[in-house]
Amino acid sequence: MQTFTFYASDDKLENRGNKLTFTGQQINEAACDLAREVANEGDALVAGGVSQTPSYLSCKSEDEVKKIFKKQLDVFIKKNVDFLIAEYFEHVEEAEWAVQTLKATGKPVAATLCIGPEGDMHGVTPGECAVRLVRAGADIVGVNCHFDPMTCVKTVSMMKAAVEKAGLKAHYMTQPLAYHTPDCSCQGFIDLPEFPFALEPRILTRWEMQQYAREAYKAGIRYIGGCCGYEPYHIRAVAEELAVERGFLPEASQKHGMWGSGLEMHTKPWVRARARRDYWEKLKPASGRPLCPSMSTPDGWGVTKGHTELMQQREATTKEQLRPLFEKADAKY
């Protein structure tokens, strides 16, 4: 069970006019307690996580950024989590700083970047990113968010090849989106016009999720999960696809037939004809939207660490600050 501490650093909680009702420490402590309570129901592990910071994008120093990680880390040590995760980093340099801070505890550390095959926001390749993270002390490396499952499997495969070529050892993990992102470039789904409130047409079926689980396993990835867009039936599909390797099925699988076999009881014969694996594996789902575009044109503005538009501020974004952004976006279309 992972603590719900994503982006729960004080500099993020205070960003863009957010009024703090609780401190970051209070939020992180509560998150640890909740995760442990649920984990104890099934004898599961608890992981505490940190993620990228507005301070890094605002060009704060290494010491300043590490202090932010250390502040969260103190809570995780107090609550005695089982292992630590540095996740959702666009720049490998900041991820290295996070890993170095977390590794000082002696607990196992996993590190994931939100990157695709093109590498991080400064063009560092996935392979080089992975090697740097392992050398910084990460026991597990991989990717999370920003890209679809198959893109993430491809990216982690590149990481694994580079780590092995460097003579290093690591475990590998992937937590992709549940959305198709074939039209995304370096920054992933953040650039899509549909982000974040109109992504549903891109969602993967449960059958595509089973294919992802198999391809991830074949690639040597053993920490196989998901990120934004994942529903319970997606996680169940992953577990069902790897039931033989895991040695058991999830409890939820008792409530439905595998590969649509429950349709054998349907009143319509053409629906009963779909009660088989090969039907769902070969299906090309339609969107149902007349004249829908097959892909989008991403909004890649080409800004990253140090750009004035990314600088952290505690005050709410003003209308004067928003106007040029609206005009820039409108001009694109």
Side-chain angles (χ1 to χ4, degrees):
M1 300 303 302
Q2 187 171 343
T3 61
F4 189 31
T5 53
F6 175 78
Y7 254 154
S9 57
D10 286 336
D11 66 333
K12 180 61 178 179
L13 295 172
E14 295 174 351
N15 197 34
R16 300 291 172 187
N18 188 41
K19 305 299 181 184
L20 287 184
T21 305
F22 300 97
T23 65
Q25 180 177 348
Q26 289 174 311
I27 291 171
N28 289 334
E29 287 186 353
C32 289
D33 291 340
L34 288 167
R36 181 62 71 184
E37 179 183 351
V38 177
N40 287 343
E41 295 177 7
D43 192 28
L45 299 174
V46 173
V50 301
S51 56
Q52 67 178 1
T53 65
S55 291
Y56 179 82
L57 290 177
S58 298
C59 296
K60 295 294 180 64
S61 69
E62 178 178 348
D63 286 343
E64 290 173 298
V65 173
K66 282 186 172 180
K67 283 179 181 178
I68 293 171
F69 296 139
K70 179 64 165 57
K71 193 171 183 179
Q72 288 184 274
L73 181 60
D74 289 342
V75 174
F76 299 144
I77 298 307
K78 175 183 176 182
K79 295 295 183 177
N80 195 30
V81 301
D82 299 299
F83 69 105
L84 300 162
I85 301 177
E87 68 170 355
Y88 197 79
F89 286 88
E90 295 175 303
H91 302 85
V92 67
E93 180 182 55
E94 187 184 16
E96 286 178 294
W97 296 351
V99 169
Q100 290 164 359
T101 304
L102 300 180
K103 194 64 179 179
T105 65
K107 290 182 178 290
V109 175
T112 58
L113 302 169
C114 48
I115 67 171
E118 294 182 28
D120 82 347
M121 291 298 291
H122 285 153
V124 182
T125 66
E128 184 179 347
C129 286
V131 169
R132 288 170 60 170
L133 291 174
V134 172
R135 286 177 172 157
D139 302 284
I140 308 169
V141 294
V143 296
N144 77 300
C145 204
H146 277 207
F147 294 92
D148 61 49
M150 293 310 180
T151 301
C152 287
V153 170
K154 177 181 178 180
T155 305
V156 177
S157 296
M158 296 168 70
M159 290 180 156
K160 184 173 183 289
V163 170
E164 292 175 351
K165 184 177 180 180
L168 303 172
K169 292 184 178 181
H171 300 284
Y172 301 93
M173 68 186 290
T174 177
Q175 293 180 298
L177 302 172
Y179 307 114
H180 290 286
T181 61
D183 36 6
C184 290
S185 54
C186 184
Q187 195 160 246
F189 81 146
I190 302 295
D191 291 348
L192 291 174
E194 297 92 349
F195 176 86
F197 298 129
L199 288 162
E200 289 86 351
R202 293 172 171 268
I203 202 160
L204 274 75
T205 68
R206 66 197 69 202
W207 320 118
E208 291 170 320
M209 207 58 78
Q210 293 207 200
Q211 181 186 8
Y212 147 63
R214 180 54 54 196
E215 292 303 315
Y217 193 88
K218 284 165 56 178
I221 302 168
R222 295 295 179 266
Y223 191 130
I224 303 171
C227 198
C228 304
Y230 266 71
E231 299 290 347
Y233 67 88
H234 286 135
I235 296 297
R236 184 180 67 193
V238 170
E240 287 181 347
E241 178 61 32
L242 298 174
V244 172
E245 288 79 7
R246 299 175 74 231
F248 62 94
L249 282 167
E251 290 186 20
S253 297
Q254 301 171 7
K255 301 177 181 179
H256 81 120
M258 295 283 285
W259 286 102
S261 62
L263 298 178
E264 295 169 357
M265 300 180 290
H266 203 279
T267 55
K268 305 295 189 294
W270 57 90
V271 178
R272 290 199 296 275
R274 300 169 188 167
R276 53 198 166 94
R277 177 171 184 157
D278 61 335
Y279 173 84
W280 297 109
E281 282 187 320
K282 295 175 183 177
L283 182 69
K284 302 294 183 185
S287 76
R289 290 174 171 79
L291 305 180
C292 72
S294 61
M295 291 190 281
S296 299
T297 302
D299 289 324
W301 286 8
V303 299
T304 188
K305 178 191 177 186
H307 195 282
T308 55
E309 291 177 354
L310 293 178
M311 292 300 171
Q312 178 185 357
Q313 65 181 57
R314 294 187 178 182
E315 303 78 19
T317 307
T318 66
K319 291 183 178 179
E320 289 72 25
Q321 289 175 313
L322 285 172
R323 188 176 298 111
L325 299 181
F326 292 161
E327 292 173 351
K328 188 174 182 178
D330 290 344
K332 185 175 183 296
Y333 296 104

